[in-house]
Amino acid sequence: MDDIAADPSHPRYASLLMRHRLEVAEERGMLAGSAMIAHGRGEAFDYLLGERTTESARSASLQALAYLRHAKRPVLSVNGNVAALASDAMLRLAAFLSCPLEVNIFYRTPERMKAILSFIDERKAALDLDVKVLGHAPDATIPGLKGPRAACHKEGILASDVILVPLEDGDRCEALVKMGKTVVVIDLNPLSRSAKLASVTIVDELSRALETMLEASETMSELTIDTSYDHQAVLSAGLQEMLNGLNED
Ligand code: PTJ
């Protein structure tokens, strides 16, 4: 799928690959106008993190996976950036959890919804996965949110008890938390409103965080929710890792 000029041995290959995926998605009309700005901010934080998965990020990913695994109605939410960068991994995770994937975007237009849904359908067919993809016919709204960004599916986001919302906007994260859901966010910025408001925040790059979860889903026979998990402490550890990186030679 990734027709990229750079060689995998290039030291910045992962970063170049993600940029390439965004370029392709941009050409297909999947992205919001501010998608590149959001990505650039993520890249800056990832640079401080040393572009690696820290111990605290790994523990957050495992806690997130445990919540999703034990949920009655888990849902994975996908926006333009997530579809561009990690459709395959999101589909694989949804298949493992036997849960729907719902396209739910902040800057909602019919054209973008169509472009994202068609890309995900293509990837689903290529991977030959049996995953329910929602977003095409919203029949509910997220309470507390105004405008088209509130639109969602009754059988998807509205009814979910645990929801994965990677790269989420703060308002929507807050609205989902207020609905009583367990909200899992993936965000390289540990200072963002979403990162602070979520139930579990994985301070890691999207595709690495999903890879950690997918690996664990294959290798760990038991996934238990850690009742002593401290969201604030894990978030602070993420920030500290960045500060430690700044002080290294
Ligand atoms: O497709 P839409 O309309 O739903 O819009 C999607 C974006 C991402 C444009 C929209 O939600 C947005 O503007 O997001 P924000 O408020 O800029 O927040 C995105 C957050 O994700 C920022 O805190 C970034 O640091 C972080 N981020 C960006 N890229 C990655 C990331 N975190 C993890 N992995 C990434 N690859």
Side-chain angles (χ1 to χ4, degrees):
M1 168 191 123
D2 295 308
D3 184 18
I4 170 172
D7 188 85
S9 63
H10 190 288
R12 306 209 50 76
Y13 180 77
S15 169
L16 294 171
L17 179 61
M18 293 304 142
R19 287 184 175 193
H20 172 75
R21 287 183 182 173
L22 283 172
E23 282 168 16
V24 171
E26 169 62 21
E27 277 162 25
R28 292 180 63 135
M30 292 162 58
L31 298 185
S34 58
M36 301 297 185
I37 299 171
H39 186 74
R41 181 155 53 178
E43 277 193 344
F45 280 105
D46 203 18
Y47 209 82
L48 293 176
L49 209 52
E51 296 174 324
R52 75 206 153 92
T53 298
T54 61
E55 265 314 303
S56 59
R58 188 177 152 73
S59 71
S61 288
L62 297 183
Q63 180 74 343
L65 185 63
Y67 269 123
L68 288 162
R69 192 67 175 131
H70 291 282
K72 285 197 179 76
R73 301 194 67 142
V75 166
L76 311 186
S77 179
V78 174
N79 65 19
N81 285 47
V82 175
L85 298 172
S87 277
D88 286 16
M90 291 294 280
L91 282 163
R92 286 198 180 103
L93 189 59
F96 167 71
L97 295 165
S98 306
C99 79
L101 195 148
E102 182 163 340
V103 178
N104 190 262
I105 61 179
F106 186 82
Y107 302 102
R108 192 180 184 108
T109 65
E111 294 78 19
R112 284 192 61 215
M113 286 300 293
K114 205 172 153 201
I116 295 169
L117 283 162
S118 113
F119 181 70
I120 292 176
D121 274 349
E122 271 175 36
R123 294 312 307 156
K124 193 175 101 163
L127 297 170
D128 194 21
L129 289 175
D130 182 20
V131 172
K132 186 172 225 176
V133 179
L134 303 172
H136 53 286
D139 53 0
T141 51
I142 300 172
L145 284 184
K146 290 202 183 83
R149 66 181 170 150
C152 70
H153 279 238
K154 238 184 233 167
E155 62 164 321
I157 287 179
L158 195 79
S160 65
D161 54 348
V162 181
I163 178 165
L164 173 65
V165 278
L167 282 58
E168 186 55 294
D169 145 73
D171 282 358
R172 199 158 38 187
C173 180
E174 187 171 18
L176 293 168
V177 170
K178 278 193 181 150
M179 287 171 81
K181 300 179 192 306
T182 297
V183 179
V184 177
V185 159
I186 302 173
D187 193 331
L188 276 157
N189 177 5
L191 301 170
S192 76
R193 280 185 67 228
S194 304
K196 288 180 183 166
L197 289 165
S199 323
V200 177
T201 298
I202 306 168
V203 181
D204 202 359
E205 194 277 323
L206 172 69
S207 58
R208 290 202 306 269
L210 292 172
E211 202 44 53
T212 301
M213 287 197 259
L214 286 169
E215 248 179 59
S217 71
E218 279 170 16
T219 54
M220 293 175 72
S221 52
E222 242 182 85
L223 289 162
T224 38
I225 296 170
D226 176 0
T227 50
S228 63
Y229 185 84
D230 184 342
H231 167 68
Q232 197 47 55
V234 174
L235 211 50
S236 302
L239 185 58
Q240 193 56 51
E241 296 271 6
M242 292 181 192
L243 298 173
N244 292 348
L246 282 176
N247 294 328
E248 276 168 16
D249 292 336

